[in-house]
Amino acid sequence: EVQLQAYGGGLVQTGGSLRLSCAASGLTFDDYAIGWLRQVPGKEREVVSCISRSDNTKYYADSVKGRFTISDDNAKNQVYLQMNNLKPDDTAVYYCAAAAVFCTLSPQEYDYWGKGTLVTVSS
């Protein structure tokens, strides 16, 4: 059974940092790309970042480039999202999700989802 669990969210001031973690079980990073997606009430989920070991790629949305860094620890089966210089627009529920093999910008193509973790950035 595939399980994903995102954690590490919280309340932070503008300019602050948070590191989100995604604990994965029941899958291997060789077979699945792991994405971080976020959702604000009333808006669609968007892919913020994604990492794929299959083609050794990392993806970042334009809105987070230079501020967020995705990484993984294969031994621990965890994926991290280091978020620096946070802005109020980054406030959202963040999810980690798994897509078969390669990163995708389409939330519908992620097969497995963890429960989200709330990130709130105060101005």
Side-chain angles (χ1 to χ4, degrees), residues 24-60:
S25 61
L27 58 78
T28 67
F29 292 161
D30 290 334
D31 296 327
Y32 285 90
I34 302 297
W36 284 100
L37 299 87
R38 67 186 180 187
Q39 187 169 27
V40 176
K43 294 188 178 180
E44 294 185 357
R45 288 182 182 179
E46 63 168 336
V47 178
V48 173
S49 184
C50 182
I51 185 168
S52 170
R53 280 184 166 263
S54 296
D55 58 0
N56 202 28
T57 59
K58 296 180 181 180
Y59 164 81
Y60 298 97

Side-chain angles (χ1 to χ4, degrees), residues 20 34-39 45-51 58-65 67-70 81-83 89-90 92-95 104-105 107 110:
L20 304 183
I34 302 297
W36 284 100
L37 299 87
R38 67 186 180 187
Q39 187 169 27
R45 288 182 182 179
E46 63 168 336
V47 178
V48 173
S49 184
C50 182
I51 185 168
K58 296 180 181 180
Y59 164 81
Y60 298 97
D62 287 343
S63 58
V64 306
K65 278 181 183 175
R67 300 188 298 121
F68 290 12
T69 303
I70 194 168
L81 186 68
Q82 178 66 43
M83 306 186 296
D89 283 349
D90 296 317
V93 176
Y94 285 72
Y95 300 87
T104 173
L105 302 184
Y110 286 83

Side-chain angles (χ1 to χ4, degrees), residues 73-94:
D73 185 331
N74 200 36
K76 295 182 179 179
N77 236 30
Q78 296 217 6
V79 175
Y80 308 100
L81 186 68
Q82 178 66 43
M83 306 186 296
N84 297 329
N85 191 21
L86 283 161
K87 304 175 181 181
D89 283 349
D90 296 317
T91 295
V93 176
Y94 285 72

